[in-house]
Amino acid sequence: MSPILKSSLTPVKAKNPNEPTLKIIPLGGLHEIGKNTCVFEINDEILLLDAGLAFPTDGMHGINIVLPDMTYLRENQHKIKGMIVTHGHEDHIGGIPYHLKQFDIPIIYGPRLAMALLQGKLEEAGVADRTKIKTVAPRDIVRIGESFFVEFIRNTHSIADSFTVALHTPVGVVIHTGDFKFDHTPVDGEAYDYAKLAEHGEKGVLCLISDSTNSEIPGFTPSERSVFPNLDRFISLAKGRVMVTTFSSSVHRINMTIEIAMKYNRKVCVVGRSMLNVIAHARNLGYINCPDDVFEPLQSANHLPDDKVLILTTGSQGETLAAMTRIANGQHRQVRIRKGDTIIFSANPIPGNTIAVVNTIDKLMMQGANVIYGRDKGIHVSGHGCQEDQKLMLSLTRPKFFIPVHGEHRMLIKHSQTAQSTGIPAENMVIIDNGDIVELTENSIGKNGKVPSGVQLVDNAGIVHDQAQVMEERKQLAGDGVVTVALAIGLDGKMMVKPQVNLRGVVTAVEQSLIAALIQKTIENTLIDRWDRFARKFESGQLDIDWTGLQIELESALQRLVRRELQSRPLLVLMMQTPEDGNKPSTANVAVGAGVGNDSSPAPIGRRKQRSTAKVGS
């Protein structure tokens, strides 16, 4: 059996039942990019590391963000002693406000910038009272519960103030790299703390949990500083306005862009709420140093010469509501593309966003902009280490056991192969998925069971409940449209008026009036054939009608009709009004907008119950 097959099978080593066992349970960030969330549990105490979000795929209609399933933490919230945050990216802190609505977290420790960004999120979400926030500095050690001492180690990444952490536990030291690369010329001068990593490696690291994002790419990841000369060149050559779009959290990139703008006497306009927020916090904390007068409100900048303006904006990933996307679509209230504009995409598309990004670029070019983009332009570098960075991390820490995280499956496999090349035996590492329980002792590592995993979807109304049904219905709406039928049934089992039928987003060669007539005939026939099954009359004259059963019967009949006649599977919504008082017949007012094939207006009278359900054609 090859070494890589061994690592994939993740054998469970025999362990002494008396040995303390640390459980490591990732809830996000495995076999995917984003929503990085990890649980450490020992002696009935839980420590959380990060709680991120991910962005929806194309098939998640109406969804804004994706969170990990937090069922395990809701069920074990009494064990939660605290959380540590490695840095301030959304895929590491974006989920925290949502989780705090479901369970309390006693205290959250993290770097200054991340905590400043998080504080604003918690206040906006109204959950700031559900936890305490504490900032930490490099080499600080904090105690969480009785079982965890957490040591914060400065690292280098694409955001300022980022940490690797060393967890001192009863089983040994576990190092979690967080997102990292080894940047030897960091923009802010804050170098990776190699000495502390080497010190832990000398003393003994039980397990290394390491970022796998760039594990398929050979070599070292270039320094963030390497972007500066290329940004400088493209901005210096621009004759008109310059727009630079990048991740709003890329503080170093933003700082360099502002420095270049000042060099060429351009005023900086900031567009996008998240960009404004990050710049404000970064300036307060000293990560961006520039005079106030370098910034200009967008309204004022419209009166400046084009060659004196630089616009910093969000939207480098083609996000629907981001500023650059709205500019490209001609929907931004204050910014319109002009011929001669130079637009620099200082970011590469993350997996799943490529189509949205290229569509945005196309729209900008069609309006006359000169768009600078692509890996060959040298205007973006990753914040994640490549194979040589990963080897250096493994060599410095010299772990006994190894767990690759933060990446898709092929990335985890490749990282495990890199680890084996540095001398870690295949049987001393595990390839895991979200929800897997890794049990770690002084002498063993292995998978042992699973906790609930998956996703929670969030739209404008909040967390989506019954998400399987909701997403299936939205998929159905997007694919084949919706057929709405509204009817009123009296106590005699007959329709009070003709049903109202609406088709929305349904493509069919059949006349809508014919569809309405067929639906009416189907309802009439079903009532004639099935009414006696659902209506019973007692000797006292009391009627007992199973309206729910009748509605299910009508829905089934209408679904068969719609599928047969339309040759598609639209969503069927049946709204049925019934008498509220079972002893007194009444008529109904059924009014749900413009009906099809309905030439009489229903008469408004007494109060009635209305039942409405949506069924997906199957």
Side-chain angles (χ1 to χ4, degrees):
M1 183 179 291
S2 68
I4 193 59
L5 282 177
K6 283 185 179 181
S7 72
S8 298
L9 290 174
T10 59
V12 178
K13 292 186 176 183
K15 64 177 185 290
N16 185 336
N18 297 320
E19 282 185 308
T21 300
L22 174 67
K23 293 180 180 178
I24 303 170
I25 309 170
L27 297 179
L30 275 300
H31 294 185
E32 63 184 355
I33 301 295
K35 63 185 180 69
N36 301 292
T37 307
C38 193
V39 175
F40 295 89
E41 182 175 351
I42 193 169
N43 299 330
D44 282 334
E45 293 186 334
I46 284 178
L47 169 66
L48 306 179
L49 187 145
D50 291 338
L53 55 77
F55 295 104
T57 61
D58 290 339
M60 295 180 178
H61 304 288
I63 298 302
N64 296 330
I65 63 169
V66 182
L67 302 171
D69 184 343
M70 303 301 276
T71 300
Y72 183 74
L73 291 178
R74 288 197 302 271
E75 293 175 348
N76 293 275
Q77 57 184 300
H78 60 285
K79 298 181 181 180
I80 299 174
K81 301 304 178 184
M83 170 184 280
I84 53 177
V85 167
T86 58
H87 64 281
H89 277 149
E90 285 292 287
D91 60 333
H92 290 260
I93 67 170
I96 297 174
Y98 299 94
H99 303 328
L100 283 172
K101 293 180 179 180
Q102 304 176 62
F103 52 82
D104 290 345
I105 300 173
I107 193 164
I108 301 176
Y109 292 97
R112 293 187 304 157
L113 180 58
M115 295 298 95
L117 296 172
L118 179 60
Q119 183 68 47
K121 291 177 180 293
L122 300 188
E123 291 174 356
E124 184 177 349
V127 293
D129 60 338
R130 305 292 297 270
T131 189
K132 292 181 180 178
I133 287 180
K134 297 287 186 181
T135 60
V136 292
R139 296 199 174 188
D140 278 356
I141 299 177
V142 299
R143 180 174 184 168
I144 299 178
E146 298 295 324
S147 304
F148 298 100
F149 288 87
V150 182
E151 182 178 4
F152 293 86
I153 302 170
R154 170 74 72 195
N155 75 13
T156 45
H157 183 41
S158 56
I159 186 173
D161 224 1
S162 181
F163 286 139
T164 290
V165 293
L167 308 180
H168 299 258
T169 77
V171 301
V173 173
V174 176
I175 289 183
H176 193 298
T177 66
D179 291 354
F180 82 98
K181 68 177 180 181
F182 287 106
D183 191 336
H184 303 293
T185 56
V187 174
D188 58 6
E190 298 283 355
Y192 213 133
D193 194 345
Y194 303 93
K196 183 57 68 173
L197 289 179
E199 179 185 323
H200 281 296
E202 185 68 25
K203 292 178 178 178
V205 173
L206 180 65
C207 183
L208 175 68
I209 304 172
S210 187
D211 173 17
S212 304
T213 307
N214 280 344
S215 60
E216 298 171 290
I217 304 174
F220 284 99
T221 300
S223 168
E224 179 70 21
R225 176 58 68 175
S226 67
V227 173
F228 187 96
N230 298 309
L231 279 177
D232 185 291
R233 177 165 54 89
F234 286 118
I235 292 173
S236 69
L237 294 174
K239 302 302 182 184
R241 294 185 304 178
V242 174
M243 301 185 196
V244 178
T245 180
T246 188
F247 295 104
S248 61
S249 57
S250 295
V251 173
H252 301 318
R253 191 79 47 85
I254 292 169
N255 194 30
M256 287 191 293
T257 303
I258 294 172
E259 184 180 338
I260 296 169
M262 293 169 61
K263 177 180 177 181
Y264 295 108
N265 297 314
R266 288 180 180 265
K267 294 293 185 180
V268 177
C269 306
V270 183
V271 182
R273 181 183 175 191
S274 60
M275 184 79 75
L276 284 163
N277 186 40
V278 170
I279 290 176
H281 286 301
R283 293 188 73 201
N284 287 337
L285 296 172
Y287 293 112
I288 293 178
N289 294 300
C290 61
D292 292 341
D293 61 5
V294 73
F295 296 101
E296 191 76 24
L298 200 55
Q299 299 92 324
S300 303
N302 287 329
H303 303 293
L304 294 174
D306 286 354
D307 63 353
K308 298 300 179 184
V309 175
L310 185 146
I311 298 174
L312 263 173
T313 177
T314 56
S316 64
Q317 297 303 303
E319 307 97 314
T320 304
L321 299 178
M324 183 54 73
T325 307
R326 289 186 286 121
I327 292 169
N329 292 332
Q331 297 172 345
H332 198 280
R333 289 181 298 174
Q334 297 173 298
V335 183
R336 292 286 186 272
I337 295 300
R338 304 171 188 166
K339 286 194 174 183
D341 286 345
T342 295
I343 301 176
I344 300 173
F345 274 72
S346 186
N348 291 332
I350 62 176
N353 289 352
T354 302
I355 294 175
V357 172
V358 297
N359 286 341
T360 300
I361 291 172
D362 280 346
K363 291 175 183 177
L364 294 168
M365 285 183 167
M366 286 188 283
Q367 296 174 64
N370 174 32
V371 185
I372 311 298
Y373 67 97
R375 298 176 187 274
D376 60 320
K377 300 298 189 300
I379 51 177
H380 175 70
V381 293
S382 175
H384 301 269
C386 296
Q387 289 176 6
E388 295 304 317
D389 298 84
Q390 293 169 353
K391 289 177 185 176
L392 180 55
M393 175 63 73
L394 289 157
S395 298
L396 286 170
T397 57
R398 294 186 284 174
K400 183 175 183 179
F401 300 111
F402 176 65
I403 305 173
V405 295
H406 296 187
E408 296 168 352
H409 184 71
R410 66 186 185 281
M411 301 171 185
L412 306 181
I413 294 294
K414 190 63 181 177
H415 201 175
S416 71
Q417 292 174 332
T418 298
Q420 290 174 51
S421 74
T422 66
I424 298 179
E427 59 269 19
N428 280 19
M429 59 186 72
V430 289
I431 304 296
I432 55 176
D433 200 354
N434 294 329
D436 285 344
I437 301 173
V438 177
E439 292 192 341
L440 179 69
T441 73
E442 291 182 10
N443 300 296
S444 67
I445 189 172
K447 291 191 293 187
N448 187 14
K450 202 170 180 69
V451 306
S453 61
V455 297
Q456 283 184 324
L457 307 179
V458 180
D459 63 10
N460 290 332
I463 292 177
V464 177
H465 301 288
D466 300 321
Q467 62 187 36
Q469 178 183 342
V470 169
M471 295 314 298
E472 183 63 26
E473 289 177 356
R474 290 184 181 181
K475 179 181 177 183
Q476 207 64 20
L477 280 167
D480 295 311
V482 60
V483 175
T484 303
V485 181
L487 70 152
I489 301 175
L491 294 176
D492 57 357
K494 296 180 180 179
M495 287 186 291
M496 307 302 296
V497 293
K498 290 181 179 180
Q500 290 191 345
V501 179
N502 286 276
L503 277 65
R504 294 288 184 267
V506 177
V507 179
T508 174
V510 183
E511 288 290 336
Q512 291 193 3
S513 58
L514 177 58
I515 293 293
L518 289 171
I519 286 175
Q520 179 177 340
K521 187 66 175 176
T522 299
I523 293 171
E524 290 173 345
N525 290 340
T526 302
L527 290 173
I528 292 171
D529 295 340
R530 304 294 188 184
W531 177 254
D532 290 343
R533 289 181 53 188
F534 302 102
R536 292 187 302 163
K537 189 171 185 179
F538 298 98
E539 291 182 2
S540 63
Q542 178 75 27
L543 271 176
D544 179 23
I545 301 174
D546 179 7
W547 295 110
T548 302
L550 176 62
Q551 178 150 353
I552 292 171
E553 188 75 21
L554 288 169
E555 287 167 350
S556 297
L558 291 176
Q559 283 173 6
R560 291 192 295 270
L561 169 72
V562 167
R563 289 198 301 270
R564 183 179 71 246
E565 297 298 331
L566 300 183
Q567 295 296 302
S568 62
R569 296 173 179 269
L571 183 70
L572 174 68
V573 179
L574 175 61
M575 294 182 290
M576 188 174 82
Q577 288 189 324
T578 62
E580 187 175 54
D581 186 345
N583 291 315
K584 297 179 182 179
S586 60
T587 56
N589 182 1
V590 185
V592 290
V596 177
N598 206 2
D599 53 9
S600 62
S601 299
I605 64 155
R607 297 189 309 164
R608 307 177 62 80
K609 289 184 179 179
Q610 178 170 306
R611 295 168 170 80
S612 176
T613 57
K615 294 291 182 180
V616 178
S618 57

